[in-house]
Each structure stands twice: as C-alpha cells, then as structure tokens.
Amino acid sequence: MDYDEEEGCGIRNIFRSFVCVALTLLLGLHVYSYLWGSQDTIEGDFGDIKYMVMQLTQGLSEMNREHERIRNELERMSSALPAMTAASGRVKDALEPTRRHARQLMDMGDYDRQIADFALESAGARILDTGETQEYMIYESTVGWALHAVSSLLCRECPGASAILRPGTLPGECWAFRGSRGEVTIRLVGSVHITGISIEHIPPHISPTKEISSAPRLFQLEGLSHRGDPHPHDFGSFEYDKDGKPIQYFEVQQPAAAAYLIVRLKVFSNWGHSLYTCLYRVRIHGELAPGQAPQKTISEEETMPLH
C-alpha cells in the first residue's frame, strides 16, 4: 500500500514538472512568434505540444483509476481476513467434538470456579493502554464533557476499560467505546502460557432494548513481549456469536512457546450498533509460567502511557 502510494505520487510529480516545462515552452514560443517567428511554424509546434500534454493527461488519469481500484481491492481483502480466520476456527470446532464438549462444560454453572482467569483485576491484572480508542460517554452537561476530554488528553489509560477485568456483568457494567473498532492492552497477573480467551456479554433478555447489537463480533488476541512491541505474537482471530451463550470460550489458534505478561485485544467489528461497542468481561486462560507468582502491584514504568 505505502509503496503504491509513493509510486503514484512520484508519477504525478513528474507529470506536473512536465506540464510546467511545456507551458513555459508554449509561452516562450508565443513570445518568439510575436517578435520573430513564422506563425504557421509556431502553430504546428503548439499543436504537437498540446497533443503530447493531452496524451499524458489521459494516461495519468487511467493510471490513477487503476491505482484506486487496486487499493480498494487490497482494503477489501484486509477487512475480510479476520472473518476468514474466525470461520476457520468454527470449522475446526466442528471437526473436534471433544474440544467442543469441554467448552460446553465450562459454560455450565459457575464459570469462574472452573477455569483460572489471569486477567482478573482483583488478582493483580491491570489495563495499561487503550491506544487511539475513544470511550463512549453520555454527558449530562458541558462541564462533564470538558472534564472527560481533558482527562483523556492527559492520560492514555482509559479508566472505564477496567470494567472488563471485573466480575460485574449487569446491563451497563461494561466498557463502551465509540464505533465498532477498538483495542485494549492488559497486564496479566503474571507471565502466562496462554491457551484461550473468554468474552462475556449480557444476554438479550436482560438488555433494556432486548437486543445486543453492541456486542463485539470479530476480534484478535496478541501477545506482547513489552509495551509497544512492534512484532506481537498473533494468537488468532475469533468471532463472538450474539446468538450463543453469554460467556464464550475461544482456544488460541496459534499457540506460543513463550509466556506473556502483556496481551492486546483488538476488536474489528460489532453486531451492527452504529454508535458504540460494549465489552463486558475479558478472561485470559492458560498456565502460569514456572517460578511465577501472581503480582498484586504494577510498576510505575509499566503504567506510563505510550507515546
């Protein structure tokens, strides 16, 4: 994408330079014809130059149209990749009934007493960063809006995002962010060999509107060796089913040999809500790395906002 754009800009700059030279030449020929030249000869030169400019303009327009078509096609393919990955995960589930049966067992009864959650705030997990994600707020006054805007500029950590690390999942006890795309970086209770992630949302029958279009749909889990890691480990892309159970478990598609202390959750879409997306609860599952003990504190360096 970047290379194509740079190439297109380079061609346009060359064309602009040529047009400037051609116009300068035309002006010079006009002056020459007025002072010394033959009118018939000059008009013939003008016609040749005008024809060349028209041909180059037409060629540049066709090139721009082709460049735009290729860019749109690449964007379409990029947006379809998370959905394709999530679909492959569903096919894998269908071919492995044993794993699906184990997942159904975890959905029964008290979920948190059956599988460890390493993204639990009361155990020491923390929100480190929410990137460029904007929290969705309903402001009762202009002063409230101004205070929230100032706090958002001064601190990249989004206080509302901590809701996804807490047990409460009643209507409204969620992290709501604007639009359908967002991300959150989480420091776990310790370095974990990650095996799965659970996403929880309220069921439609307890929603005030009787629908859950604000539920996340396509999302991705990444493991970071440090904050700002430019090459995170991709655990896979998944799809939350709004017609399924409120708590849905997803086994990682690309397991990692390394244990991770920091993970990043990226949400790519929701189930149709135009204003915001709600994340109620995120759980990270796996095995604590040998020699690790859950940490209840977080260092000042780790809480510093990214720049």
Side-chain angles (χ1 to χ4, degrees):
M1 289 291 295
D2 294 340
Y3 175 78
D4 292 340
E5 292 176 0
E6 291 176 0
E7 184 181 16
C9 291
I11 294 174
R12 286 193 290 271
N13 290 334
I14 293 174
F15 177 72
R16 291 192 188 100
S17 300
F18 175 80
V19 170
C20 290
V21 172
L23 292 176
T24 303
L25 182 59
L26 284 172
L27 180 62
L29 289 173
H30 269 295
V31 174
Y32 177 80
S33 64
Y34 179 78
L35 296 177
W36 301 288
S38 169
Q39 186 67 26
D40 294 337
T41 302
I42 297 302
E43 287 181 355
D45 292 338
F46 288 164
D48 292 342
I49 294 174
K50 290 178 181 177
Y51 177 77
M52 291 176 61
V53 172
M54 289 175 60
Q55 291 295 315
L56 285 173
T57 302
Q58 183 179 358
L60 181 62
S61 299
E62 292 177 356
M63 185 177 300
N64 285 338
R65 285 194 295 270
E66 183 66 16
H67 179 264
E68 186 68 22
R69 186 189 68 79
I70 294 175
R71 185 175 64 180
N72 292 337
E73 185 67 18
L74 288 174
E75 290 178 351
R76 185 187 66 81
M77 293 173 62
S78 176
S79 62
L81 283 177
M84 294 172 62
T85 305
S88 68
R90 292 194 298 271
V91 171
K92 189 174 181 180
D93 286 344
L95 297 176
E96 297 183 14
T98 302
R99 187 176 71 169
R100 187 173 66 253
H101 178 66
R103 183 177 301 180
Q104 290 171 350
L105 288 177
M106 287 192 293
D107 285 342
M108 299 170 58
D110 192 344
Y111 193 90
D112 288 317
R113 294 183 184 274
Q114 299 181 54
I115 183 170
D117 174 18
F118 293 96
L120 186 63
E121 185 181 51
S122 60
R126 295 290 184 272
I127 298 296
L128 296 184
D129 194 76
T130 56
E132 301 300 323
T133 309
Q134 295 184 356
E135 186 175 0
Y136 182 82
M137 296 286 290
I138 299 177
Y139 306 101
E140 297 181 354
S141 66
T142 305
V143 175
W145 176 87
L147 289 175
H148 181 75
V150 171
S151 64
S152 299
L153 289 174
L154 294 178
C155 182
R156 289 282 296 278
E157 180 181 344
C158 182
S162 297
I164 67 176
L165 309 182
R166 299 167 184 165
T169 52
L170 293 176
E173 294 181 335
C174 67
W175 174 45
F177 57 85
R178 292 182 181 275
S180 59
R181 300 177 71 93
E183 67 176 58
V184 58
T185 302
I186 305 170
R187 177 192 181 274
L188 305 177
V189 301
S191 296
V192 178
H193 292 284
I194 298 171
T195 57
I197 177 175
S198 295
I199 300 294
E200 182 174 1
H201 197 85
I202 59 171
H205 67 269
I206 69 170
S207 171
T209 59
K210 301 302 180 185
E211 58 87 28
I212 54 171
S213 60
S214 64
R217 185 172 184 176
L218 297 174
F219 63 94
Q220 179 185 32
L221 180 66
E222 297 177 333
L224 284 67
S225 59
H226 58 273
R227 294 186 63 178
D229 184 0
H231 305 291
H233 177 79
D234 180 11
F235 285 107
S237 296
F238 315 92
E239 183 177 15
Y240 182 87
D241 182 7
K242 70 179 180 67
D243 297 320
K245 296 185 177 182
I247 305 176
Q248 297 178 24
Y249 174 86
F250 304 90
E251 185 172 335
V252 299
Q253 297 165 352
Q254 288 91 230
Y260 286 94
L261 177 66
I262 302 174
V263 296
R264 179 166 58 206
L265 175 69
K266 291 184 174 180
V267 178
F268 297 111
S269 63
N270 62 24
W271 281 96
H273 204 290
S274 60
L275 296 179
Y276 59 84
T277 301
C278 281
L279 271 179
Y280 272 85
R281 180 78 184 275
V282 175
R283 298 172 174 89
I284 301 296
H285 311 296
E287 297 291 337
L288 204 61
Q292 284 279 322
Q295 302 177 25
K296 294 279 289 185
T297 60
I298 183 169
S299 68
E300 180 180 352
E301 180 181 356
E302 288 172 323
T303 57
M304 290 176 60
L306 294 175
H307 296 288

